[in-house]
Amino acid sequence: MWRVGIDVGGTFTDLFAWNEENKNYRTAKVLTTKDDRSRGVLQSIEAAGIPFDQVSLLMHGTTTATNALIERNFPDAAFITTEGFRDTIEIGRQHRKALYDPYQTKPEPLIRRRNRFAIDERMAVSGVPRRPLNADDANRIAETIAARGIQSIGIGFINAYVNPQHEEEMREILRRHVPDAHIVISSETRPIFREHPRFVTTAIRACLMPVMTSYFDRLREALDARGFAGTLLILKSNGGVMGAENAKERPEELIESGPAGGVAYASYLSRTTDFANIIHTDVGGTSFDASIVEDGRGLITRNYELEWEVPVSVPMLDIHSVGAGGGSIGWVDEGGSLRVGPRSAGSEPGPACYGRGGTEPTITDANLVLGRLDPTLSNKFALDVAAAERAIDGLAAKIGLTRLQTAEGMIRISCETMAQAVKGVVVARARDPRDFVLASFGGAGPMHACFVAQAMNIPKVVIPGQAGVASAFGATAMNVRHDIEAFHYADLGSVRVEDLNRIYGEIEAKARERLIRDGVPAAQVAIRRTAEMRYVGQTYEVDVDIPHGTLTPAHLPQIAEAFHTAHRQEYGVSSDDFPIAFVALGVVATGALAEAPVFSFAAEAAANGAGDRSHKVYFDGHWLDAALKNAAEIRPGETIAGPAVIEYLDSIAVLPPGCDGNVDPHGNLIVSITN
């Protein structure tokens, strides 16, 4: 039986699969079918030659939820809130993205104002009702929603995280008027204080439920028709997977579903190499993703923003994404400056060199013109060099540069954009990039990794043998995971440990129920306790690991020291002068799946080593003779001196002059970076 990982990107749909009996593996890469991404999933399995009835686990990373939100491509939804809070999801926190830009505009609200309703009710912060839910108003709102044919409804009342009574009452009234609608309440979506992120996350769930329910039902129906009888698991933003039924009910947890697979592969690398701390980067056709893996674990954030002032307040891998990929389009702004991205040619029509009707210059076209791509892609795909040259020439004419200057300028600008994304995750988490290695994934990643590392003073780059399908590979190495939290504010010095034990017991029981629903046997369940904590008076929290078992007052000094350590790691300082407070309690519940084996992608290297070939490549204004190598012919331990171009099955690695690479026993190319 096969374990199959699939990552659907903006341009390509990638597959990595390994046989659970003999540990053989297969890969595939097909163009993403943007009209219905589920077709690309099926096509990738067919391209890999894997019978559907031989798939035991299908682990699927998807950008469908993210694309639906960014494009506002979902059915009309409604939102019901407390009187006075109707515009909270649009007003936000009154922050400015650019302090001195008078022309900035807020993102388009997820839910139009005409479909946002306010109702007379009030719950005190203590959880005691101050004003009951106005039943007449509730019925009138429900009738209006039904008359408009709206089938997705979010409910977010102030202080409902303490007592959900009024939200539950409103839901029951709606069920009588719109019985088939998707109805979500904030006290179940995100039972934590701060109304803006709680309301927005609830609205996101309401907007996405019909989209993702339709997608997963369509995919499951197509899989079943082809004989699939295995388990369909969906990648989550927190670095785990969950069953499709849970995913339909919690689509807000899928925002970083695709990139999460890459983080999992970086964690796999940290277990199989000597590199504990890795900056994971992934360059696809449309975007560049960057995140940190520290001691084998991806860092988590609760401050992710889909767009400015559109927070997704659930535990997510701290991934920073920018519009820079192989399909990113070069253009000239109003001031006459060369720009690249974020607009992408995607898979339809794709870069000009794909010969699918594209005419605009992309990063892929620029790499081809500079000699960094073989026009035949090692006899896998014929690239149209003349079309790429025409596209670059058109851009060059607008800015008064030569073809080569324009192409190299596009690459430099794109790599600087990528470097800034790396800076965004590393510096924001108070880490020094010199303490990390950069792992490069994605079909276009290894072409640019050394340049990004040079810009950030990162000493080494790791290019895996399967970099082109890394996110799909990572999907096969993930466990079922659920993060559940509950609000609980209390000073550490006066907290009642019996309250902590009670709340942890309740949320652990919920977590086990979700894992069981995903088919995880009780013996394979692991629970890790966490708490969001802060110094009293702060407005931000840090995650702290909490001991297992029954807590006693004797555990509190240990928890305090763990908090100080976590605070120093995140912010560089800690203090014994300020009291400490709990803000929320949480558990990370995982269901362990069979761990992916250690693959050696260099196992079949030719006995006589690589052939001596060279190729003209353009670097820094000059054509240089660069070694051209097939990765399948490179022996472990062999050193490759830059400049060089190394062709993998699903990607191309470019080593600039002065950067030398060495292949380790597992087939990873370890590149030493010089500036």
Side-chain angles (χ1 to χ4, degrees):
M1 298 294 284
W2 291 86
R3 180 179 297 194
V4 178
I6 295 177
D7 172 50
V8 180
T11 304
F12 289 102
T13 295
D14 302 332
L15 175 145
F16 183 90
W18 52 276
N19 191 293
E20 295 170 323
E21 283 84 31
N22 57 29
K23 312 307 178 188
N24 289 337
Y25 67 87
R26 295 182 187 178
T27 66
K29 185 181 283 282
V30 301
L31 288 170
T32 294
T33 50
K34 297 184 74 171
D35 61 317
D36 180 0
R37 290 175 174 83
S38 66
R39 290 197 296 111
V41 173
L42 305 174
Q43 290 172 7
S44 67
I45 298 173
E46 293 166 350
I50 299 174
F52 285 86
D53 62 358
Q54 293 299 305
V55 177
S56 60
L57 288 175
L58 176 55
M59 310 173 85
H60 176 24
T62 175
T63 57
T64 301
T66 311
N67 292 335
L69 290 174
I70 291 173
E71 298 168 4
R72 302 297 192 265
N73 185 19
F74 45 76
D76 278 348
F79 190 78
I80 306 170
T81 188
T82 306
E83 186 70 48
F85 293 86
R86 180 184 181 189
D87 297 316
T88 294
I89 66 172
E90 185 170 356
I91 294 173
R93 293 160 291 190
Q94 301 189 49
H95 293 176
R96 295 178 66 85
K97 185 176 184 180
L99 185 60
Y100 299 110
D101 180 4
Y103 302 107
Q104 62 187 303
T105 58
K106 285 182 173 290
E108 177 187 346
L110 294 170
I111 298 176
R112 294 186 295 169
R113 194 172 195 274
R114 71 184 301 267
N115 291 333
R116 302 198 301 263
F117 304 90
I119 191 169
D120 184 28
E121 70 82 35
R122 192 70 177 200
M123 188 69 64
V125 71
S126 63
V128 176
R130 283 189 175 177
R131 291 197 304 274
L133 181 75
N134 188 309
D136 292 337
D137 286 352
N139 280 285
R140 185 175 65 255
I141 290 170
E143 291 169 358
T144 301
I145 290 173
R148 294 180 183 176
I150 296 173
Q151 291 294 303
S152 297
I153 309 157
I155 305 171
F157 292 157
I158 197 70
N159 296 329
Y161 62 91
V162 182
N163 183 346
Q165 175 187 338
H166 290 173
E167 287 191 346
E168 293 170 349
E169 290 175 359
M170 185 71 235
R171 179 170 57 184
E172 290 305 311
I173 291 171
L174 285 167
R175 282 174 173 168
R176 294 198 293 268
H177 291 272
V178 278
D180 297 326
H182 300 283
I183 305 172
V184 300
I185 60 177
S186 73
S187 53
E188 292 178 352
T189 303
R190 180 65 172 149
I192 301 297
F193 79 143
R194 296 189 178 113
E195 68 275 3
H196 178 241
R198 177 163 54 91
F199 288 1
V200 172
T201 305
T202 303
I204 287 173
R205 177 182 283 193
C207 293
L208 287 181
M209 284 187 78
V211 176
M212 300 313 297
T213 296
S214 173
Y215 176 78
F216 289 132
D217 286 347
R218 190 167 61 249
L219 175 60
R220 185 75 209 204
E221 182 179 349
L223 289 168
D224 291 346
R226 288 162 175 78
F228 173 74
T231 300
L232 175 61
L233 296 173
I234 312 302
L235 272 64
K236 300 177 61 175
S237 304
N238 65 2
V241 294
M242 62 179 166
E245 292 304 313
N246 271 323
K248 288 191 288 188
E249 296 176 2
R250 298 173 178 84
E252 74 281 359
E253 298 183 16
L254 307 179
I255 304 300
E256 291 289 358
S257 172
V263 179
Y265 194 4
S267 298
Y268 171 90
L269 279 178
S270 73
R271 296 195 303 269
T272 57
T273 66
D274 294 329
F275 304 119
N277 298 330
I278 295 174
I279 299 171
H280 142 260
T281 64
D282 193 332
V283 187
T286 303
S287 64
F288 173 86
D289 305 316
S291 67
I292 292 175
V293 169
E294 200 166 58
D295 296 326
R297 183 190 298 176
L299 299 187
I300 294 292
T301 181
R302 290 172 177 80
N303 298 312
Y304 178 91
E305 287 191 325
L306 177 75
E307 300 171 28
W308 180 250
E309 288 285 71
V310 184
V312 187
S313 185
V314 295
M316 300 176 68
L317 291 166
D318 193 359
I319 301 173
H320 188 56
S321 301
V322 294
S328 294
I329 294 170
W331 54 287
V332 178
D333 66 16
E334 293 178 354
S337 298
L338 177 62
R339 305 285 294 275
V340 180
R343 193 164 61 89
S344 172
S347 61
E348 297 174 5
C353 63
Y354 280 13
R356 296 168 59 87
T359 58
E360 296 183 282
T362 69
I363 289 297
T364 299
D365 297 313
N367 277 307
L368 180 61
V369 167
L370 296 173
R372 301 176 188 182
L373 275 176
D374 176 11
T376 70
L377 286 183
S378 299
N379 299 315
K380 295 191 295 289
F381 190 82
L383 298 177
D384 190 337
V385 178
E389 291 175 343
R390 287 194 299 270
I392 299 294
D393 286 345
L395 182 61
K398 296 179 182 178
I399 55 176
L401 297 177
T402 67
R403 174 191 300 164
L404 295 174
Q405 289 173 330
T406 302
E408 190 165 39
M410 289 176 62
I411 300 299
R412 287 181 175 178
I413 291 170
S414 184
C415 287
E416 184 58 33
T417 300
M418 298 176 193
Q420 290 303 308
V422 171
K423 182 178 180 180
V425 296
V426 175
V427 176
R429 301 300 292 254
R431 269 61 170 183
D432 187 335
R434 294 170 295 184
D435 296 334
F436 291 78
V437 299
L438 186 146
S440 179
F441 303 153
M447 281 193 290
H448 308 98
C450 293
F451 305 104
V452 175
Q454 286 175 333
M456 290 298 298
N457 291 317
I458 300 171
K460 289 186 182 295
V461 167
V462 180
I463 300 173
Q466 295 295 333
V469 291
S471 290
F473 183 125
T476 68
M478 298 171 80
N479 291 321
V480 180
R481 171 171 169 167
H482 290 287
D483 291 58
I484 299 182
E485 297 172 301
F487 176 79
H488 184 68
Y489 187 90
D491 286 359
L492 182 65
S494 59
V495 67
R496 290 161 44 91
V497 291
E498 53 266 37
D499 289 340
L500 299 180
N501 289 319
R502 174 181 54 81
I503 295 172
Y504 275 121
E506 292 171 354
I507 58 180
E508 286 178 15
K510 290 180 182 179
R512 292 179 188 278
E513 289 175 6
R514 290 190 192 175
L515 289 174
I516 291 172
R517 188 181 184 191
D518 285 335
V520 177
Q524 295 177 0
V525 172
I527 301 287
R528 178 168 63 89
R529 291 177 175 179
T530 65
E532 291 182 63
M533 303 179 69
R534 66 186 185 188
Y535 292 114
V536 173
Q538 283 183 315
T539 58
Y540 51 85
E541 298 79 43
V542 295
D543 280 354
V544 179
D545 286 334
I546 301 299
H548 290 282
T550 301
L551 297 174
T552 68
H555 287 104
L556 298 183
Q558 176 185 346
I559 294 173
E561 185 55 38
F563 167 75
H564 291 311
T565 300
H567 200 280
R568 282 195 300 271
Q569 186 174 32
E570 288 296 317
Y571 301 106
V573 295
S574 64
S575 174
D576 294 326
D577 299 330
F578 297 97
I580 303 169
F582 290 96
V583 174
L585 310 181
V587 296
V588 178
T590 55
L593 302 175
E595 191 168 300
V598 178
F599 293 98
S600 180
F601 298 114
E604 299 179 6
N608 60 351
D612 295 322
R613 295 179 294 161
S614 65
H615 183 70
K616 291 286 187 182
V617 181
Y618 196 80
F619 290 104
D620 294 325
H622 303 282
W623 286 104
L624 302 178
D625 287 325
L628 180 62
K629 293 182 176 289
N630 186 330
E633 298 174 350
I634 303 174
R635 293 193 304 263
E638 182 176 344
T639 298
I640 303 167
V645 175
I646 302 151
E647 297 178 333
Y648 292 87
L649 182 63
D650 299 301
S651 63
I652 305 289
V654 174
L655 274 59
C659 295
D660 298 336
N662 186 277
V663 178
D664 74 6
H666 302 304
N668 303 308
L669 179 66
I670 314 298
V671 185
S672 296
I673 300 300
T674 58
N675 288 297

